[in-house]
Amino acid sequence: MSEPPAGRKAVNAHTTPFLPYDMEGPVQPEMSWLPISYDAETGQGTYLMRMDPGAVTIAHDHPGMEEFLILEGDLVDSDGTAFGPGDFVSYEAGTHHNSWTVTGCLLAVFEWRRT
């Protein structure tokens, strides 16, 4: 097997260990994340986020764009809208919300800023 091309990073959501989730403050043990290209200094990049059944995010504001694709499970936003696999959700900068899951979910999250 040859070496992977320079600059490529590959992770598997089912076999790569996730980290404790603490992006909105204290560690939330019912949630975890896997940084892929996320840069904590800029608050931009991509990560996977896993929420266990019954997990609730802390209400938060978005300094930039936050977008996510639901890969598995369900997610309910603070206005009661329910999302499922295949749904892509986009929040503008300045959005304030929180979300929860009934059955658990896996999200691909994209944080970025318009130029």
Side-chain angles (χ1 to χ4, degrees), residues 46-49 66-73 75 83-90 105-110:
T46 302
Y47 56 91
L48 298 177
M49 181 171 156
E66 179 188 76
E67 299 179 308
F68 57 82
L69 174 64
I70 300 178
L71 302 172
E72 299 172 358
L75 190 73
F83 301 104
D87 286 331
F88 189 94
V89 182
S90 180
C105 62
L106 177 64
L107 311 173
V109 183
F110 313 94

Side-chain angles (χ1 to χ4, degrees), residues 74-85:
D74 71 277
L75 190 73
V76 182
D77 205 25
S78 50
D79 69 353
T81 303
F83 301 104

Side-chain angles (χ1 to χ4, degrees), residues 23 38 43-47 62 65-66 109-113:
M23 292 183 74
Y38 185 77
Q44 297 186 81
T46 302
Y47 56 91
H62 295 286
M65 296 288 297
E66 179 188 76
V109 183
F110 313 94
E111 303 255 5
W112 59 283
R113 292 200 169 74

Side-chain angles (χ1 to χ4, degrees), residues 4-74:
R8 181 176 79 190
K9 180 176 184 177
V11 299
N12 183 296
H14 301 289
T15 60
T16 305
F18 279 52
L19 303 171
Y21 186 82
D22 62 354
M23 292 183 74
E24 273 82 50
V27 170
Q28 294 179 261
E30 69 281 4
M31 297 166 50
S32 57
W33 74 308
L34 178 58
I36 298 170
S37 64
Y38 185 77
D39 181 331
E41 278 191 33
T42 66
Q44 297 186 81
T46 302
Y47 56 91
L48 298 177
M49 181 171 156
R50 181 173 286 134
M51 297 174 66
D52 294 340
V56 179
T57 66
I58 295 170
H60 56 281
D61 297 307
H62 295 286
M65 296 288 297
E66 179 188 76
E67 299 179 308
F68 57 82
L69 174 64
I70 300 178
L71 302 172
E72 299 172 358
D74 71 277

